Amino acid sequence: MIKLAILASANGTNAQAIVEAVREGRLDADVRVILTNREDAGVIARAAKLGVPVEIIPSKGHRNRAEYDALVVEALKKYDVDTIALAGWMRILSEVFISAYEGRILNLHPALLPSFKGATAIQDAYASGVRITGCSVHLVTIELDAGPVIIQAGVPVNGTADELEAQIHRMEHRIFPQALQWYAEGRIGLEGHKITVAPAKGNVRKTDYIEGCLVSPALEEKI
């Protein structure tokens, strides 16, 4: 079982999806804390409702990213976490943070990496006219949005930009808990820059097509 910290800057729907996956027995994790860098973030109320401890460390007013990240790392030590889930964490991590949890940070990005990196990925994909975009979960490295990809969901670009964003968020809620579960089970390997996922030990039902979206590797449900 992993000892998990969730870092989120906004509404926290993915943080909630992770906590719900734990409580439904789909994710072998102990969510020790939800940490945010914004005092007005919606995730604060969600965490309170879910009964998960919250740390609020405002990111404004610091000299640089390293100074701020040192404060975050120090705060996380109180909770003895061993894995970090970046669930809408709208900050670029410094080497201070990455070195503290190297190989143990998973990030959710709202595009099919390596396309559309950065904070405006959904808007950029929609404006570009691509027919398919989506979301990715990857291991974090020092280069922005460039770590090895664990799982992706391909989302057709239909309707408005708001409708696309809503569909991407629905897929995020499915693939992030799955990636964390593979990590918790010790099934994630790395060959060069390519992630491998070892076969499940028990019987699982695999689903690779959800709501018109393709997921790879397929989601698993124990049977």
Side-chain angles (χ1 to χ4, degrees):
M1 178 177 290
I2 54 176
K3 296 178 287 187
L4 187 64
I6 302 172
L7 274 57
S9 299
N11 290 329
T13 60
N14 275 295
Q16 180 171 329
I18 291 168
V19 174
E20 288 175 349
V22 171
R23 294 180 178 177
E24 292 167 6
R26 294 184 285 113
L27 173 55
D28 298 326
D30 177 9
V31 180
R32 298 288 182 92
V33 63
I34 294 175
L35 187 146
T36 185
N37 64 310
R38 288 177 48 190
E39 293 174 292
D40 61 347
V43 72
I44 298 169
R46 287 184 189 273
K49 202 173 207 180
L50 292 165
V52 178
V54 180
E55 286 280 341
I56 305 169
I57 305 179
S59 50
K60 290 184 178 180
H62 299 280
R63 290 177 297 176
N64 50 50
R65 286 186 285 123
E67 180 181 83
Y68 177 76
D69 283 356
L71 292 176
V72 174
V73 169
E74 193 62 31
L76 293 178
K77 286 179 181 178
K78 297 185 296 184
Y79 298 91
D80 189 30
V81 301
D82 56 28
T83 308
I84 310 296
L86 304 181
W89 183 245
M90 304 305 291
R91 290 186 57 80
I92 298 173
L93 296 181
S94 70
E95 191 172 346
V96 168
F97 193 104
I98 292 174
S99 62
Y101 294 100
E102 188 170 5
R104 297 177 286 157
I105 310 168
L106 285 73
N107 181 54
L108 179 64
H109 183 73
L112 293 177
L113 293 172
S115 298
F116 304 111
K117 297 179 180 181
T120 58
I122 297 176
Q123 299 92 321
D124 293 345
Y126 189 81
S128 76
V130 296
R131 298 298 185 180
I132 298 174
T133 183
C135 47
S136 310
V137 179
H138 67 97
L139 292 176
V140 173
T141 60
I142 195 65
E143 185 180 351
L144 177 66
D145 295 333
V149 172
I150 300 169
I151 186 172
Q152 292 181 308
V155 178
V157 181
N158 297 320
T160 66
D162 288 343
E163 289 170 333
L164 174 63
E165 183 172 2
Q167 181 67 304
I168 288 174
H169 287 332
R170 285 194 290 271
M171 291 301 105
E172 289 175 346
H173 300 164
R174 302 296 293 273
I175 69 171
F176 206 3
Q178 178 65 86
L180 288 165
Q181 178 60 15
W182 287 334
Y183 185 87
E185 292 174 347
R187 292 169 55 192
I188 292 177
L190 187 61
E191 297 178 356
H193 195 71
K194 183 178 180 180
I195 290 285
T196 61
V197 180
K201 293 182 179 179
N203 294 326
V204 295
R205 180 183 295 108
K206 294 189 176 184
T207 304
D208 59 6
Y209 194 69
I210 306 168
E211 299 180 21
C213 302
L214 180 65
V215 180
S216 182
L219 299 175
E220 296 176 353
E221 180 184 358
K222 293 179 182 179
I223 56 176

